[in-house]
Amino acid sequence: MIKVEVYADDFDAGFEISKLSALGCGAVASFIGLVRGDGDVEALELEHYPVMTQKALRDIAETANGRWPLHGITIVHRVGKMSLGEQIVLVCTCSDHRSAALDSCSYIMDRLKTGAPFWKKQWFKDGRSEWVEERQSDLDAKGRW
Amino acid sequence: MIKVEVYADDFDAGFEISKLSALGCGAVASFIGLVRGDGDVEALELEHYPVMTQKALRDIAETANGRWPLHGITIVHRVGKMSLGEQIVLVCTCSDHRSAALDSCSYIMDRLKTGAPFWKKQWFKDGRSEWVEERQSDLDAKGRW
Amino acid sequence: MARILNIVYFAWVKERLGKGHEAMEIPSDLDTISDLVELLSKQAPEYKSVFADLTKLRFALDQEFTSIDASINSAEELAIFPPVTGG
Amino acid sequence: MARILNIVYFAWVKERLGKGHEAMEIPSDLDTISDLVELLSKQAPEYKSVFADLTKLRFALDQEFTSIDASINSAEELAIFPPVTGG
């Protein structure tokens, strides 16, 4: 069961996680990415390439599904402008085994950072804004899989 | 912020996770272990060593806290009898960085499996019961840290 | 016969070009994305400026990531954008 | 002077011994957990049976995991149980 959603509204992480918990497997792993107050950042804006996003996220989920024995994968990614502390992304996986759930969750996040068409812009308290640059640590993280 | 709880009642994973999300860090990882219907299992019973459990879990959490830059760790572990599909354990960690959150969550689960005084008994549909034996894969998982 | 290619831009590429997409008639002898980028760079200074450092750009043809050396062939949509930074 | 040690049992050890804890007077010359296990094994057949395969047992002194070779010293509580299987 792969579910991929991209929208502007906030999501209920607990509800999404509980839906995978209800599938009857023994292990549910999840990751939530949130807007963090780096320096003077007060908001984050996420742009994406709508026709491509669903496809890219689904491809990543399907690759994970082929690599680990998973019963369910949920990816929810928000777009648009978000304030400090708001949720940006949720990845949740479930399996009979904890390592499969946890590893696939890490894998999907690492792939998502470098392989899905999202771009982040940081908005600062003084009104400036700046596109976030690609991070070497994200490329390294992707490389380990 | 380390929170360790051990009790018989079910817990609200979404609520526990949202409390760590509210700490203002960018990355929240969590793991939920649930009762899975292996073979004819219809319930699981967890016994523990009360005076030791809190201490053992807190030690594991503190070791994780020393190894990764974490803002919060929550461990909730149930004891007593649980039916199929019920939640047994929640581990949730938050950090500024996704790898710290995800790795520490895996680490805590691996340590918990071999280093906290819990014993699982499986109850089968025909009324039999059996203590779960130590798994080599859990020892291996602990060994990798 | 000339083809029409839909070109879409994202993030600072879109902002600096002042547009999110355009339809372009592609010469029949044009092969790769690189050729197209070169052609656009000659057309107007804003393209030249945006395409000045190609290491800062990424590409997708018909919604699949690809490299600048890829042939456009019969693709309908080319996307030009900075490295992705989602999640 | 003889000491009193509180011994606690868990899981199948508790079930097979038919008790979860007991207080025991420890001879002053008794050193390690191993010595105590040997002593108990001589006391009654259920101990002998439970302690027959020591590879299946784990120990904690005053709520810290330890090995069977550890000296009991002034510990107040010894726990004897199978390998843990939580989570």
Side-chain angles (χ1 to χ4, degrees):
Chain A
M1 199 198 76
I2 293 177
K3 174 178 158 181
V4 169
E5 287 188 350
V6 180
Y7 46 69
D9 294 338
D10 194 14
F11 53 83
D12 181 343
F15 178 67
E16 296 297 339
I17 294 167
S18 72
K19 280 198 282 190
L20 288 202
S21 287
L23 292 181
C25 35
V28 177
S30 69
F31 178 85
I32 302 167
L34 304 110
V35 183
R36 180 164 51 97
D38 260 338
D40 288 326
V41 173
E42 69 165 12
L44 208 62
E45 189 176 342
L46 265 138
E47 184 176 327
H48 74 134
Y49 180 6
V51 237
M52 185 170 169
T53 312
Q54 273 282 339
K55 192 179 171 315
L57 293 180
R58 189 159 284 273
D59 282 354
I60 292 170
E62 273 163 10
T63 308
N65 201 40
R67 262 179 95 150
W68 287 276
L70 303 176
H71 294 293
I73 301 172
T74 296
I75 304 177
V76 182
H77 205 300
R78 290 177 66 199
V79 289
K81 205 159 175 178
M82 291 157 235
S83 312
L84 278 192
E86 281 195 65
Q87 302 180 121
I88 305 166
V89 61
L90 167 73
V91 170
C92 187
T93 54
C94 69
S95 172
D96 289 344
H97 308 286
R98 76 180 182 284
S99 61
L102 283 160
D103 291 352
S104 62
C105 187
S106 289
Y107 170 83
I108 292 171
M109 276 307 302
D110 285 347
R111 285 281 313 270
L112 195 155
K113 287 271 176 185
T114 55
F118 293 100
W119 298 274
K120 266 183 192 157
K121 180 189 251 184
Q122 293 180 315
W123 286 89
F124 298 95
K125 291 191 180 113
D126 60 8
R128 277 183 313 119
S129 69
E130 193 175 87
W131 289 99
V132 173
E133 296 213 9
E134 183 179 42
R135 289 167 55 203
Q136 186 57 43
S137 61
D138 287 335
L139 297 173
D140 295 345
K142 181 200 163 205
R144 74 193 167 105
W145 296 104
Chain B
M1 199 198 77
I2 293 178
K3 173 178 159 182
V4 169
E5 288 187 349
V6 180
Y7 45 70
D9 293 338
D10 194 14
F11 53 83
D12 182 342
F15 178 67
E16 297 297 340
I17 294 167
S18 72
K19 281 198 281 190
L20 288 203
S21 287
L23 293 182
C25 36
V28 177
S30 69
F31 178 84
I32 302 167
L34 304 111
V35 182
R36 181 163 50 96
D38 260 339
D40 288 327
V41 174
E42 68 165 14
L44 208 64
E45 190 176 341
L46 265 139
E47 184 174 328
H48 75 133
Y49 180 6
V51 236
M52 184 170 171
T53 314
Q54 272 282 339
K55 190 179 173 314
L57 293 180
R58 189 158 284 274
D59 281 354
I60 293 170
E62 273 163 11
T63 308
N65 200 40
R67 262 180 95 149
W68 286 276
L70 303 176
H71 294 292
I73 301 173
T74 296
I75 304 177
V76 183
H77 205 300
R78 290 177 67 197
V79 291
K81 205 159 175 178
M82 291 157 235
S83 312
L84 279 193
E86 280 194 66
Q87 303 180 120
I88 305 166
V89 61
L90 167 73
V91 171
C92 188
T93 54
C94 70
S95 173
D96 289 343
H97 307 287
R98 74 178 183 285
S99 61
L102 283 160
D103 292 351
S104 61
C105 187
S106 290
Y107 170 83
I108 291 170
M109 276 308 303
D110 285 348
R111 283 281 314 269
L112 195 155
K113 287 271 177 184
T114 55
F118 292 102
W119 298 274
K120 267 183 191 156
K121 180 188 251 186
Q122 292 179 315
W123 286 89
F124 298 94
K125 292 191 180 111
D126 60 7
R128 278 184 312 120
S129 70
E130 193 175 270
W131 289 98
V132 173
E133 296 212 8
E134 183 179 41
R135 290 167 56 204
Q136 186 57 43
S137 61
D138 286 336
L139 298 173
D140 295 345
K142 181 199 164 206
R144 73 193 168 107
W145 296 103
Chain C
M1 206 185 81
R3 302 159 278 164
I4 299 293
L5 181 69
N6 187 34
I7 313 180
V8 292
Y9 305 109
F10 294 98
W12 58 257
V13 178
K14 173 168 88 176
E15 287 180 350
R16 284 170 57 188
L17 291 178
K19 58 187 161 195
H21 60 95
E22 63 187 311
M24 192 183 168
E25 196 169 311
I26 303 291
S28 56
D29 61 342
L30 186 138
D31 178 16
T32 66
I33 298 173
S34 180
D35 296 340
L36 179 72
V37 163
E38 206 175 310
L39 187 69
L40 285 167
S41 297
K42 283 176 196 154
Q43 278 187 9
E46 65 267 27
Y47 289 112
K48 198 179 158 89
S49 143
V50 164
F51 299 150
D53 182 357
L54 296 172
T55 66
K56 292 201 182 320
L57 294 177
R58 298 293 179 273
F59 309 89
L61 274 177
D62 286 348
Q63 297 88 50
E64 293 274 1
F65 288 106
T66 191
S67 78
I68 193 167
D69 303 318
S71 293
I72 294 172
N73 289 330
S74 58
E76 291 179 5
E77 188 165 280
L78 167 68
I80 304 181
F81 45 74
V84 304
T85 53
Chain D
M1 206 184 83
R3 304 160 277 164
I4 298 293
L5 180 69
N6 187 33
I7 312 180
V8 291
Y9 305 108
F10 294 98
W12 59 257
V13 178
K14 174 167 88 176
E15 287 181 350
R16 284 171 56 188
L17 292 178
K19 57 187 161 195
H21 60 95
E22 62 187 311
M24 192 181 168
E25 196 168 312
I26 304 290
S28 56
D29 61 343
L30 187 138
D31 177 14
T32 65
I33 298 174
S34 181
D35 297 339
L36 179 71
V37 162
E38 207 174 311
L39 187 70
L40 285 167
S41 297
K42 284 178 195 153
Q43 278 187 9
E46 65 267 27
Y47 289 112
K48 196 177 158 94
S49 142
V50 163
F51 299 150
D53 182 356
L54 296 172
T55 67
K56 292 203 184 318
L57 294 177
R58 299 292 180 274
F59 308 89
L61 274 177
D62 286 346
Q63 297 88 48
E64 293 275 0
F65 289 106
T66 190
S67 79
I68 193 167
D69 302 319
S71 292
I72 294 171
N73 289 330
S74 59
E76 292 180 2
E77 187 165 280
L78 167 68
I80 304 181
F81 44 74
V84 303
T85 53

